[in-house]
Amino acid sequence: MNHPRKKLIAGNWKLNGSLAANDALVRALLAGMGQPTCDVAVCVPSPYLAQLQSLVQGGALLLGAQDVSQHLSGAYTGEVSADMLRELGVRYAIVGHSERRQYHGETDAVVSNKAQRALAAGITPIVCVGETLAERDAGETEHVVKRQLAAVIHTNGHCISEIVVAYEPVWAIGTGKTASPEQAQQVHALLRAQLRAASPQAERIAILYGGSMNAGNAAALLAQPDIDGGLIGGASLKAADFLSIIAAAA
Ligand code: PEP
């Protein structure tokens, strides 16, 4: 099949790193990955974006942020705007990660506004959706992920074809419990159908899987027809593991 979507492997470093550790990790990644056939990005803490910008210059590694403000500028202490990220060469911004929804009270509306700000600045938002274990057990997975994505579709209209979606079941993040390839594909297919109904260009939209993806399970997940890459937390901090996942996507 002629596939319209290039795979994307994106690391989410979360609250990890130091100047020295970042330097070693990025150099190992650049040396190990060569010219991959998939896109590869690392979403790093904001203070390290300038360091990363110079480290990845000219290489195949793309730069991402872990969040973006829903505001353009002004009295919003601690926030980082999409335009600021763009100036630092940022190509992707994670929005609506479950940790931000959970610990920072981000609502579907806030997440949608953040996606809109990113798009307006020429940054691809990686929009995270996913159900908690309680929601899955209650049979609410479809309802929850569709509600989360519907808000972003509603706010962003025809620009929706420019986003990346990440399906991240909350119960699988950082827990070592991965959704089975079939479980993940089932939700990805639902999200794909929702995107198709919203945009004639839905086939272009990459839907990543996230949640304890690692060197051992990546190939089986990435072989599913609607899994177009991965958003990787823990395993993106070790060069060898992240390189294995990149190889599985190539
Ligand atoms: C994440 O934080 O987006 C994630 C998927 O984490 P982990 O791979 O560690 O489960």
Side-chain angles (χ1 to χ4, degrees):
M1 190 179 86
N2 193 358
H3 214 281
R5 298 179 294 276
K6 199 175 182 186
K7 283 197 165 38
L8 167 63
I9 299 298
N12 173 13
W13 289 4
K14 310 195 191 198
L15 186 56
N16 294 293
S18 67
L19 292 173
N22 304 344
D23 189 84
L25 177 54
V26 170
R27 286 181 198 284
L29 292 176
L30 290 172
M33 69 192 223
Q35 285 296 329
T37 54
C38 61
D39 288 327
V40 183
V42 283
C43 301
V44 308
S46 297
Y48 296 134
L49 286 169
Q51 179 200 16
L52 266 282
Q53 186 183 27
S54 74
L55 276 175
V56 305
Q57 216 164 31
L61 200 53
L62 302 168
L63 197 47
Q66 297 174 15
D67 186 27
V68 60
S69 178
Q70 63 173 320
H71 304 290
L72 272 179
S73 63
Y76 301 103
T77 302
E79 299 266 298
V80 177
S81 78
D83 286 343
M84 294 171 188
L85 295 177
R86 188 66 218 176
E87 277 198 305
L88 290 166
V90 166
R91 300 278 299 274
Y92 296 97
I94 299 172
V95 300
H97 191 281
S98 62
E99 289 154 12
R100 299 224 43 103
R101 292 181 191 261
Q102 188 181 347
Y103 306 133
H104 300 269
E106 291 192 9
T107 61
D108 293 342
V110 168
V111 172
S112 304
N113 292 339
K114 290 184 169 195
Q116 191 174 37
R117 287 291 182 219
L119 286 167
I123 292 170
T124 302
I126 301 177
V127 177
C128 299
V129 301
E131 82 286 2
T132 63
L133 188 57
E135 288 163 342
R136 173 162 282 262
D137 288 346
E140 291 171 359
T141 298
E142 177 170 354
H143 170 75
V144 170
V145 299
K146 282 187 166 174
R147 188 203 72 222
Q148 291 171 334
L149 184 57
V152 179
I153 291 172
H154 178 75
T155 303
N156 290 281
H158 69 272
C159 293
I160 203 69
S161 61
E162 305 299 323
I163 74 167
V164 166
V165 177
Y167 169 54
E168 297 210 307
V170 179
W171 49 271
I173 296 179
T175 59
K177 284 186 204 149
T178 317
S180 69
E182 296 73 25
Q183 272 176 326
Q185 167 57 28
Q186 200 177 26
V187 178
H188 281 233
L190 291 171
L191 296 172
R192 177 85 56 213
Q194 187 178 7
L195 292 167
R196 273 197 196 111
S199 166
Q201 306 215 53
E203 301 311 315
R204 288 176 42 184
I205 304 173
I207 307 178
L208 315 182
Y209 168 79
S212 299
M213 190 185 264
N214 59 40
N217 60 29
L221 286 158
L222 293 168
Q224 298 296 314
D226 288 297
I227 299 186
D228 308 311
L231 182 55
I232 293 112
S236 71
L237 296 170
K238 296 180 208 117
D241 291 4
F242 198 53
L243 286 169
S244 299
I245 298 172
I246 295 165

